[in-house]
Amino acid sequence: MLRYDGQLPGLLPMLSRGKHGSPRKGACFMEFASLLAGERWSDHPGCTHPLLAAVARHVNDHTSDAGRPRLAGLIPSVIGLTGEDLHIDARIALRSATMALPVVAAERQRVMAVSVLACERVLAALDGRPVGAMEEQSRSALAQVPHATAWADRFTSGARPSATSAKRFRRQVAPTIVCDAVEGIAQACVPDPDAMLRDLLVQAIGECAAWVGRDPDRGAGFDTALWVRACRRTGGSLAADATTSDELTKH
């Protein structure tokens, strides 16, 4: 696990959109994570849960160039955060969908409403509770879009999770949900989509940490010397000001 030695770094990684062939060509969020973790250079490193890594990649790519540096301090938090429990996938996907549902464009709301119901059905099967029993956050999000919710109820009527659909949920459904949620937030008419995307990633980290039994703040520390070396390899820049540097130590 990376550790924080008590000093704020003077460098920030130069995060940019997309996949990069090597550190010399730049880095996205997860590529920089692979570098810090000592893994082979990749935007799909083994140190992070696949769905959490997908959220990070999508948030990285849909955040503006001006807002992307504020993501840097979250990178150490995803290192070593992984597990096999399907709850992780369902919780991350559900959190993404409920955050996006009230703010996405009308044409996306039906898809997001179906996504909320799909996640709740998977969780109901995992937890042994009635299919119709939903968390307050889900009920609140759905209540804000009654027409989309009514359509989603009709669309999903009679659906029941099974062993086969659980595998499909992990491999296809959950990744699609987080992709649609991030894209919808990025294009939504909200005052600060960058801040909302960052919050989505913070909450996804928290959901994953909760299910692997780790304090989400535990991974927020890092070895400053390692951080600086990694920044230099990827063409990092001096932190703009103290406020930006402060973001490196908090979610």
Side-chain angles (χ1 to χ4, degrees):
M1 179 63 62
L2 297 175
R3 63 179 176 80
Y4 176 51
D5 67 10
Q7 298 178 4
L8 291 174
L11 290 174
L12 293 175
M14 187 67 72
L15 300 180
S16 55
R17 289 185 176 89
K19 192 174 183 179
H20 305 80
S22 71
R24 293 188 302 275
K25 296 181 180 179
C28 74
F29 187 103
M30 288 310 304
E31 287 169 337
F32 197 81
S34 74
L35 196 62
L36 289 179
E39 292 194 24
R40 179 179 61 84
W41 178 258
S42 172
D43 63 349
H44 287 66
C47 62
T48 303
H49 187 280
L51 192 62
L52 177 58
V55 175
R57 286 191 299 273
H58 292 312
V59 168
N60 176 89
D61 289 354
H62 284 86
T63 298
S64 70
D65 292 342
R68 199 173 294 112
R70 294 192 65 244
L71 302 176
L74 300 176
I75 297 174
S77 300
V78 306
I79 297 173
L81 202 54
T82 189
E84 297 296 326
D85 195 329
L86 187 62
H87 278 93
I88 299 173
D89 304 80
R91 298 296 314 177
I92 291 175
L94 179 60
R95 183 58 64 99
S96 301
T98 53
M99 284 190 66
L101 178 57
V103 302
V104 298
E107 61 269 19
R108 289 181 178 269
Q109 287 179 343
R110 287 183 175 184
V111 173
M112 284 292 96
V114 169
S115 297
V116 170
L117 296 179
C119 292
E120 284 285 4
R121 286 176 183 274
V122 170
L123 288 168
L126 291 173
D127 297 337
R129 57 181 169 84
V131 173
M134 292 189 292
E135 296 181 358
E136 176 58 33
Q137 188 175 34
S138 297
R139 290 196 298 270
S140 177
L142 290 167
Q144 295 180 58
V145 289
H147 295 295
T149 297
W151 185 91
D153 280 332
R154 293 192 298 271
F155 183 82
T156 60
S157 178
R160 292 291 185 274
S162 66
T164 301
S165 64
K167 179 184 288 188
R168 179 173 175 269
F169 180 85
R170 168 171 278 161
R171 293 183 177 180
Q172 300 177 19
V173 177
T176 298
I177 289 172
V178 301
C179 179
D180 289 344
V182 170
E183 187 175 286
I185 291 171
Q187 297 176 0
C189 294
V190 293
D192 190 351
D194 284 351
M196 192 168 183
L197 289 174
R198 185 179 184 279
D199 188 40
L200 188 155
L201 179 54
V202 168
Q203 294 194 40
I205 291 170
E207 292 286 1
C208 192
W211 280 98
V212 301
R214 194 180 92 184
D215 182 343
D217 290 329
R218 178 183 162 194
F222 51 87
D223 185 316
T224 300
L226 176 59
W227 177 274
V228 171
R229 288 196 301 272
C231 285
R232 286 173 176 165
R233 288 188 64 187
T234 57
S237 61
L238 289 173
D241 52 38
T243 301
T244 302
S245 293
D246 286 346
E247 292 297 336
L248 296 171
T249 61
K250 60 185 179 182
H251 278 212

